[in-house]
Amino acid sequence: MSANETTTSAVVNLQGLSLSYGAQPVLQGLDWQLQPGQVIGLLGRNGAGKTTLLETLLGLREPQAGTVQLFGQNAADLDDTGRARIGYVPQQNDLFEGFTPDQLLSYFKSFYPRWNEAKVEGLMSRWDIARDKPIAKLSGGQQQRLSIIRALAHEPDLLVLDEPVASLDPAGRRDFLRELVEQVLDRGTTVVFSTHILSDLERVAFNVAFLKQGRIALQAPLDELLDEVRVLSGSSAELQALIAAQGMQVLSRSPLEDGRERWLVRFPQGLPAGSGGERVNLEDLFMEMT
Ligand code: ADP
């Protein structure tokens, strides 16, 4: 696929996004493409701009510069059919608290041409949500699950979840996320979820994207990254010579006390023989890339 085809077939295509709150820049010339069927964990520290990025991607927040395209259309011009292809679970759930879950779901059902009642029924039982209690009386975790069921019910092609497991206890987070992703995998839904908790990603996100200083600093399949990234140390000149010889990508550099440097590098074409260096784990990557 050429770069151009990759851009035009993208479910989400963000180019040159910049957004500041007053004098505080949050997105700074950010480019990002999500391809059909990708499952992406968006990783960044607290305050890095994950919510801002997801809201901008959905056309809910207007950037000061750049373009946002969803399914090949400008987000601002998206028609009802385009909107019905999106499922969104915001960080603060926006459920009507005076309704019961049953009332809420039948209300939303009336808006969508496509609605998978069997899926809704199955998830309501499996995730143990009382149907007839006012939503305000459900636990935070149950409200979050209900918000997710609402977002899945119309079988979206793009599912955007902002910290979808924030209200769940740590033990249940990853398992729940994995189940959530399994729910949509067979349809080829594109899924992006934000998190600042590393264990959420393991065995859930096939791709990870790191948000740092207003840009996507790195995006790749998680297992590839763990295979391809190494930490090398040496003098700046030695390391420069290695890049030239082995075509590696430098992800970050930091000085060591003895005048040498420590580089985090990636070998996108696979590791050359004898390249050495230490492997990294997801936590190292997070520390360096966010
Ligand atoms: P994250 O989701 O990664 O924690 P956010 O997108 O919520 O990051 O916030 C990014 C930065 O922008 C933070 O410093 C936050 O305080 C600031 N911010 C977020 N929303 C607003 C807003 N509506 N007005 C002003 N500043 C905001």
Side-chain angles (χ1 to χ4, degrees), residues 235-290:
S235 73
S236 177
E238 281 164 2
L239 295 170
Q240 294 285 2
L242 267 177
I243 315 188
Q246 307 194 327
M248 65 196 189
Q249 179 187 357
V250 182
L251 302 176
S252 70
R253 309 167 52 153
S254 46
L256 293 172
E257 280 171 5
D258 54 7
R260 296 185 315 149
E261 291 187 7
R262 176 181 182 282
W263 287 19
L264 190 72
V265 300
R266 179 178 176 205
F267 297 94
Q269 272 95 42
L271 248 55
S275 48
E278 290 162 52
R279 294 181 80 93
V280 294
N281 59 29
L282 183 55
E283 193 173 344
D284 302 326
L285 271 175
F286 182 78
M287 297 306 286
E288 304 265 358
M289 298 310 300
T290 62

Side-chain angles (χ1 to χ4, degrees), residues 130 135 147 169-171 217 230 251 278:
I135 290 171
S147 178
D169 53 36
R230 292 289 184 275
L251 302 176
E278 290 162 52

Side-chain angles (χ1 to χ4, degrees), residues 61-96:
R61 224 174 241 294
E62 205 176 329
Q64 278 108 20
T67 56
V68 179
Q69 289 197 319
L70 298 171
F71 312 112
Q73 269 186 298
N74 283 326
D77 308 330
L78 204 64
D79 53 21
D80 288 348
T81 317
R83 294 209 168 279
R85 296 175 68 188
I86 299 172
Y88 173 42
V89 180
Q91 193 167 22
Q92 304 292 338
N93 80 59
D94 56 350
L95 305 169
F96 308 129

Side-chain angles (χ1 to χ4, degrees), residues 30-44:
L30 178 144
D31 298 324
W32 201 21
Q33 282 85 41
L34 308 186
Q35 302 303 330
Q38 281 188 327
V39 176
I40 297 155
L42 173 64
L43 207 47

Side-chain angles (χ1 to χ4, degrees), residues 16-18 26-32 42-43 48 53 209-218 289-290:
L17 280 197
S18 293
V26 176
L27 308 179
Q28 305 187 61
L30 178 144
D31 298 324
W32 201 21
L42 173 64
L43 207 47
L53 172 57
F210 295 89
L211 178 62
K212 181 184 187 182
Q213 293 171 346
R215 290 172 182 243
I216 299 297
L218 177 67
M289 298 310 300
T290 62

